[in-house]
Amino acid sequence: SKGDLGGDAAFLAPLEASTAKLPTDAAGCDALENLIFEEVLQAQQRLEQSPYSVALTSAQLESFGKVSHQLALHLATGSRHFGNPALQRTLCKAFMQKAFHKLKTALTALASAQAEQPGKPPDASLEAAVKAALGNLVDLFFAKFNTDLARWQQEHAGANTASVVATQTPLQEILDAKGGDRRTVFTYAELFGLFITEFER
């Protein structure tokens, strides 16, 4: 009970313990993970809009942004989603939509600044914002690549080491999960398909 907890831990206890139950069914677990992932995606923006942000240094704000970004990548592309392609597809799509929104916002701001002062070199901070937004998309593809490669190595490690087998297998077969059950894998090709869809919107 809450009274049995000492110190700050007491504030983490639910007011009504009987209602604080985590879902055990697959659909409930996926829904909860989606909610948590959305909170992680919104964390940076919420901190920037919070009065608490004035108490932090620029370095602390930057560190918080990096941690939030890495956590979102881990949740979206982590190996624990193997066998649950629908959830990974949903998380990667949410990450990509957020990255594209940031990119469009940065490009609009840069275009507006150039229109107001034609011929003047673009503001360095606006260019940096565009590069950072593009970097988010690159990070997603890189994280997905690393995870898929690790998954394939785990599945094919046998008499020969995974590295030996990998050198004899075309990279496209690894990323497209050929030779396995593709119904249990959200492939790299599907991620690229999501990218094209969001880009054309």
Side-chain angles (χ1 to χ4, degrees), residues 9-27:
F11 294 102
L12 301 178
L15 294 176
E16 193 63 46
S18 61
T19 63
K21 295 181 180 179
L22 294 176
T24 56
D25 61 294

Side-chain angles (χ1 to χ4, degrees), residues 29-88:
C29 290
D30 287 357
L32 177 60
E33 185 148 4
N34 274 316
L35 288 174
I36 294 173
F37 186 70
E38 186 61 31
E39 290 297 320
V40 172
L41 287 181
Q42 298 296 333
Q44 180 68 18
Q45 180 179 352
R46 289 177 178 172
L47 178 61
E48 292 172 353
Q49 297 173 348
S50 170
Y52 178 71
S53 63
V54 300
L56 302 177
T57 66
S58 57
Q60 289 173 322
L61 288 171
E62 182 180 358
S63 295
F64 180 84
K66 289 180 178 179
V67 171
S68 298
H69 179 64
Q70 291 299 321
L71 178 57
L73 287 172
H74 175 72
L75 290 173
T77 65
S79 59
R80 61 199 183 86
H81 293 317
F82 294 161
N84 192 350
L87 176 60
Q88 189 173 58

Side-chain angles (χ1 to χ4, degrees), residues 95-116:
F95 185 100
M96 193 173 290
Q97 288 176 334
K98 180 76 173 179
F100 267 115
H101 176 72
K102 288 184 176 180
L103 178 59
K104 291 176 182 178
T105 300
L107 288 172
T108 300
L110 181 60
S112 298
Q114 291 176 329
E116 291 175 0

